[in-house]
Amino acid sequence: MGYQHTIRHQVYSFKDLKELLAKASPFRTGDALAGISAANYEERVAAQLTLADVPLKDFLQEALIAYEKDEVTRLILDSHDPLAFAPVAHITVGELRDWLLSDLTDPETIKGLKWGLTPEMVAAVSKLMRNQDLIVVARKCTVVTRFRNTIGLKGRFSTRLQPNHPTDDPKGVAASMIDGLLYGSGDAVIGINPAMDSPAAVLKLLQLIDNVRQQFEIPTQSCVLSHITTTIELINSGAPVDLCFQSIAGTELTNTSFGVSLSVLDEAYEATLSLKRGTVGQNVMYFETGQGSSLSANAHHGLDQQTCEARAYAVARKYNPLLVNTVVGFIGPEYLYDGKQIIRAALEDHFCGKLLGLPMGVDVCYTNHAEADQDDMDNLQTLLGVAGCNFIMGIPGSDDIMLNYQSTSFHDALYVREVLGLRPAPEFEAWLINQGITNENGKIAHNQMTKQLIAHLF
């Protein structure tokens, strides 16, 4: 199936949906590196105008990666719900944009589309939207998840406390944990990227977090972001695993490069559920994604990086995760060159994930060789707060000393909560007030808790 559009007597032709989606994407260096982006602005506009007229039904008839060759494609098509799709089955991509933006389209109606829209449809409509459109629609989408607290409620804004250390030194990790907790960070998860992925090393970190959590009765969850097979091994040995983590992507080949498949994810999901460690819910999975991973693995099948990213959300959606976050600027300027591209990609990812029913957070970040700085990240975290993002990261000084990239600090989360009138997860907020860490207005009010934490951990 081919597509055409004429601008000023110039005919622009697109051989299939794959090419049309790639050329309709806002410019980013990853697609240019792959040789699939529009040649110029006029071709991009022609592609967007053409895409606006494509019926949504076309995405069910033309698989972007062959059904026989890709288990993510099979998951997307096999899990599609025609009844959920029915309200929008007769419209085009452009009409879907207008419908989503309409004041008459309420959040509950959008929520009902979760299993009716495919990631490709959602990626397509995002390509027709300005940044403000992505924010308006995402803000309509409230996705609430629960484990030991409740994340994603309206008016709430959570953080992952990320106390990474380059050698997994317990004192270094503990110092960062104290810092974060005393600034009200950690309601989404206390999550550590381990420097070493051995079961023994991961177990020490799990026990460290769990001991602190139990000692101070903190209503949050822990996660050590080891490979999923390491986590399965630890679960089978009786380790205190709250959440099971894995990086995922939108093609089978990319997931294979990560050492994971849907069958492995199935096994991990069931194993983690069996522990029944949640108190207010049993959302037990934590996934991370990011535009460019499939291109980096040479596993994108000619798809643009944003469409690949949206397909990863189909994988996440299958497992009812507590948390999903796009590590948006981590992969580097080869894929997202500067602050402008990072901001756009983050808003796209958040929009697409929320529309597909996911509890989306964003690691507001960049690498040191990207054309970006903390002013760009200030802009992005503010936009995400307005858009209803579930959570961001909390890292001492916004500088991850283990992964060597720039993210958001504990103070950044306090800023977003302050200027937008947002609060932590309700159970965690009550704990902060009870411990005297914050007052009723959310202001930091340290007291004896500081000395207690330091005495316990050191």
Side-chain angles (χ1 to χ4, degrees), residues 300-322:
H300 61 106
H301 298 273
L303 285 179
D304 67 273
Q305 62 187 38
Q306 191 258 332
T307 300
C308 281
E309 171 73 4
R311 283 169 55 95
Y313 303 152
V315 178
R317 184 173 57 172
K318 183 177 191 287
Y319 301 101
N320 303 308
L322 181 77

Side-chain angles (χ1 to χ4, degrees), residues 71-72 75 227-228 244-262 264-265 285-294 308-319 321 323-327 358 360:
E71 67 176 2
V72 178
L75 172 63
H227 191 269
I228 197 168
C244 181
F245 167 82
Q246 183 55 44
S247 293
I248 56 172
T251 74
E252 180 179 347
L253 277 178
T254 315
N255 286 324
T256 299
S257 76
F258 291 162
V260 69
S261 64
L262 295 183
V264 172
L265 289 169
M285 302 301 283
Y286 175 18
F287 295 118
E288 286 189 346
T289 66
Q291 289 194 27
S293 59
S294 291
C308 281
E309 171 73 4
R311 283 169 55 95
Y313 303 152
V315 178
R317 184 173 57 172
K318 183 177 191 287
Y319 301 101
L323 307 167
V324 179
N325 76 277
T326 168
V327 193
L358 290 176
M360 287 301 294

Side-chain angles (χ1 to χ4, degrees), residues 57-336:
K57 288 181 178 179
D58 282 15
F59 292 93
L60 300 174
Q61 299 164 0
E62 184 180 339
L64 302 186
I65 305 174
Y67 184 93
E68 300 78 14
K69 294 182 178 180
D70 186 87
E71 67 176 2
V72 178
T73 296
R74 293 194 290 275
L75 172 63
I76 291 168
L77 294 178
D78 292 349
S79 62
H80 181 258
D81 183 348
L83 289 178
F85 182 54
V88 294
H90 61 288
I91 65 176
T92 65
V93 176
E95 289 168 337
L96 176 62
R97 173 192 176 276
D98 295 342
W99 183 82
L100 289 169
L101 288 168
S102 170
D103 291 338
L104 300 177
T105 305
D106 60 70
E108 284 303 309
T109 302
I110 294 176
K111 186 176 181 179
L113 291 178
K114 175 180 177 179
W115 294 102
L117 296 176
T118 68
E120 292 87 351
M121 295 175 192
V122 172
V125 75
S126 76
K127 298 175 193 297
L128 306 183
M129 290 183 158
R130 295 168 57 184
N131 286 3
Q132 67 174 249
D133 299 337
L134 298 172
I135 292 168
V136 166
V137 177
R139 188 173 176 83
K140 291 185 181 184
C141 303
T142 300
V143 182
V144 179
T145 55
R146 296 174 173 88
F147 190 76
R148 285 198 191 92
N149 57 27
T150 307
I151 300 168
L153 294 167
K154 281 285 187 184
R156 304 284 175 171
F157 186 72
S158 297
T159 60
R160 167 188 163 189
L161 171 48
Q162 186 171 310
N164 292 348
H165 192 276
T167 63
D168 291 339
D169 177 68
K171 289 187 176 181
V173 170
S176 293
M177 285 177 59
I178 292 172
D179 196 15
L181 289 168
L182 294 177
Y183 280 106
S185 184
D187 51 338
V189 64
I190 301 175
I192 303 172
N193 296 90
M196 295 164 283
D197 200 61
S198 70
V202 173
L203 179 59
K204 287 182 180 179
L205 295 173
L206 282 170
Q207 291 172 333
L208 171 61
I209 307 174
D210 201 55
N211 287 340
V212 174
R213 182 189 64 78
Q214 292 193 61
Q215 174 74 20
F216 293 98
E217 299 180 327
I218 308 172
T220 190
Q221 35 283 329
S222 65
C223 185
V224 177
L225 284 66
S226 56
H227 191 269
I228 197 168
T229 53
T230 303
T231 306
I232 292 171
E233 183 179 340
L234 288 166
I235 290 171
N236 292 336
S237 69
V241 174
D242 287 346
L243 306 183
C244 181
F245 167 82
Q246 183 55 44
S247 293
I248 56 172
T251 74
E252 180 179 347
L253 277 178
T254 315
N255 286 324
T256 299
S257 76
F258 291 162
V260 69
S261 64
L262 295 183
S263 62
V264 172
L265 289 169
D266 289 343
E267 179 186 357
Y269 181 49
E270 293 302 324
T272 314
L273 272 178
S274 71
L275 299 177
K276 298 180 180 178
R277 289 174 59 85
T279 55
V280 299
Q282 294 296 332
N283 298 113
V284 299
M285 302 301 283
Y286 175 18
F287 295 118
E288 286 189 346
T289 66
Q291 289 194 27
S293 59
S294 291
L295 174 57
S296 177
N298 194 28
H300 61 106
H301 298 273
L303 285 179
D304 67 273
Q305 62 187 38
Q306 191 258 332
T307 300
C308 281
E309 171 73 4
R311 283 169 55 95
Y313 303 152
V315 178
R317 184 173 57 172
K318 183 177 191 287
Y319 301 101
N320 303 308
L322 181 77
L323 307 167
V324 179
N325 76 277
T326 168
V327 193
V328 66
F330 184 74
I331 200 164
E334 299 83 0
Y335 306 91
L336 296 170

